[in-house]
Amino acid sequence: EGFKYVHWMVTNIPGNNVRAGDEVIEYIPSFKPTRENGQLITLTPAQGGKTNRHLVLVYKQKERIDVPTSIGCNNLLAPPRINDHDQFQEANDLEGSVAGNFYRVGYSPGATEDILCYYNQCTGQPFPGLNEDQLQC
């Protein structure tokens, strides 16, 4: 229940220099693939389409931590990309969250298909719940 899809993770950030931190989970844009009977539902939120909740959380580290990496096509639907932020916080003795934000995202024409095609090209199979012939990658 607590597991979430991690779209980006940077650890061991010196001060506020995010670029100097360790990118352990490569950035994948937010997306919402609503599926029904193996088909992608292409309704935007303005058209009544569903949305996903997304969190941006910042924690304070007491010391350097080591986290397995997920860069490129590795582990698109497995740990560390699938993670429970509360368990991660406890396991790494993190303070906070000290900052955060919340937003919702729904289907976005073109962008959602691009991410689903990326998954397909990386894994050689369609995104879970979609028919193989759904996307023209």
Side-chain angles (χ1 to χ4, degrees), residues 4-108:
K4 306 287 185 245
Y5 193 82
V6 179
H7 288 267
W8 190 44
M9 184 185 293
V10 180
T11 61
N12 305 315
I13 300 169
N16 62 0
N17 187 354
V18 176
R19 290 188 174 147
D22 298 332
E23 183 180 46
V24 295
I25 297 180
E26 183 178 39
Y27 177 71
I28 291 182
S30 301
F31 67 102
K32 169 63 174 147
T34 302
R35 305 162 308 271
E36 187 174 294
N37 298 321
Q39 298 297 309
L40 179 65
I41 305 301
T42 57
L43 292 175
T44 66
Q47 297 167 322
K50 296 180 180 179
T51 61
N52 271 354
R53 297 173 305 222
H54 290 258
L55 298 172
V56 177
L57 299 172
V58 178
Y59 295 94
K60 184 175 181 180
Q61 292 179 218
K62 297 176 183 176
E63 59 190 11
R64 184 171 182 79
I65 61 173
D66 292 315
V67 178
T69 62
S70 182
I71 304 295
C73 291
N74 298 323
N75 304 320
L76 288 176
L77 289 177
R81 192 167 286 280
I82 305 297
N83 201 325
D84 179 320
H85 60 84
D86 291 327
Q87 288 179 3
F88 184 82
Q89 176 186 6
E90 184 177 331
N92 292 285
D93 196 25
L94 303 175
E95 294 179 21
S97 57
V98 296
N101 205 344
F102 166 86
Y103 63 98
R104 299 187 77 85
V105 68
Y107 170 77
S108 178

